[in-house]
Amino acid sequence: MKKESHVANDINKNHIQNSNTDQISSERNQTRKGFIEELAFVLTDHDIMEEQYLNLTQQMLSVVQRRDYSWGKKWPAEGDEVIRVDKIPTWKSYNQMEAFADSIDDERISRQLYQALEKRHPFGEFRYAAERTGVIQQWYDWRSRWQEEQAEEWMRENGVDFKDGRIVADGKHTFTWSWDDEEDYDNL
C-alpha cells in the first residue's frame, strides 16, 4: 500500500491539532526533503485556520498561539525571526484536480472525476471518485508532487533554503515577532 503522503498528512494534521504548542513536527524538518514535505502540508492544508509562520529562530513551522495552555508560553516567542506562510488559494488546488482529470487516458474515469468537481463539495467528492475508479494512488502521487513544487516555489519567492541541516533565509521577507501590541493580533 503506497498511501504514504496521504497518511503523513493525516498524521501531521493530528499532530498539529493535538500538540500542546501547535507546532509542526520538528523532527521531520532535519532534512531538506522533510522540511519541504512539512511546508507543502502547511501551504495546502485548509483545515488549519490559524495563521502560520516559518520560525527561523526555532527552526520550525508554527501557528500563532497567544499562549500554550500547558506551559503558559506564547508562540512564536517574543523576538523570534519569522516569515509568514500564506496558504495557496483553494482555486489552485481545484485547478490541479482538473489537470489530473485531464491527464487520465480512460475517458470514463476522467468524466467521473470531472462530474465530482461539479458537486457541492468538490474536494471530497473528487477523492471519493478517485477511490471508486481506482486512481486514488495516482491522485495522491500527483498531488504530492504538485504540493512539493509549490513548497519549492514558496522557498524561492521568500528567499528560504535549507543548508547544513538548518533553515536559512536571505532576510528580505523576515521580521522579528513582537507581542507588544496584542490587539494587532486579535484578528489573526
Side-chain angles (χ1 to χ4, degrees):
M1 182 186 287
K2 261 182 95 181
K3 290 187 180 179
E4 293 172 26
S5 60
H6 178 65
V7 171
N9 283 348
D10 288 344
I11 291 168
N12 290 341
K13 192 180 301 180
N14 289 337
H15 175 78
I16 291 169
Q17 292 170 347
N18 297 326
S19 163
N20 284 337
T21 60
D22 278 342
Q23 298 166 358
I24 295 175
S25 170
S26 60
E27 301 87 47
R28 293 188 65 219
N29 287 345
Q30 294 175 359
T31 66
R32 179 180 177 81
K33 180 165 178 40
F35 172 66
I36 289 171
E37 288 172 357
E38 292 289 347
L39 180 59
F41 172 75
V42 168
L43 287 168
T44 59
D45 185 7
H46 292 274
D47 290 338
I48 301 169
M49 301 309 285
E50 295 89 356
E51 209 164 302
Q52 307 243 359
Y53 289 86
L54 170 58
N55 188 322
L56 295 165
T57 306
Q58 301 293 325
Q59 290 290 294
M60 67 178 67
L61 292 156
S62 61
V63 296
V64 172
Q65 188 167 348
R66 286 191 174 69
R67 73 183 136 159
D68 174 354
Y69 292 99
S70 63
W71 298 101
K73 296 179 183 175
K74 297 177 180 180
W75 294 94
E78 185 77 24
D80 282 356
E81 290 295 314
V82 298
I83 300 174
R84 183 178 172 155
V85 179
D86 292 320
K87 301 226 180 279
I88 293 170
T90 55
W91 63 265
K92 284 189 174 184
S93 297
Y94 185 93
N95 287 352
Q96 280 307 304
M97 292 186 295
E98 287 181 324
F100 176 75
D102 281 342
S103 76
I104 300 298
D105 292 331
D106 186 319
E107 286 184 39
R108 181 187 59 81
I109 294 173
S110 181
R111 186 174 48 255
Q112 288 181 33
L113 293 171
Y114 267 107
Q115 288 171 346
L117 291 172
E118 295 172 2
K119 294 186 177 183
R120 184 169 180 210
H121 300 287
F123 290 87
E125 293 293 338
F126 186 86
R127 184 171 48 88
Y128 297 139
E131 286 174 354
R132 282 191 313 271
T133 58
V135 296
I136 191 67
Q137 189 56 51
Q138 288 173 266
W139 166 239
Y140 287 150
D141 293 344
W142 174 286
R143 184 183 65 183
S144 182
R145 282 189 304 275
W146 176 74
Q147 288 172 335
E148 290 179 13
E149 288 169 6
Q150 296 303 300
E152 298 243 10
E153 182 179 323
W154 183 91
M155 289 172 65
R156 280 189 301 279
E157 290 173 356
N158 288 278
V160 173
D161 204 351
F162 194 89
K163 294 183 180 176
D164 301 322
R166 294 191 50 81
I167 305 164
V168 295
D170 63 14
K172 294 177 184 174
H173 301 276
T174 63
F175 65 95
T176 303
W177 189 268
S178 174
W179 286 99
D180 285 342
D181 190 5
E182 282 196 47
E183 291 178 14
D184 288 348
Y185 300 104
D186 283 339
N187 295 320
L188 294 180

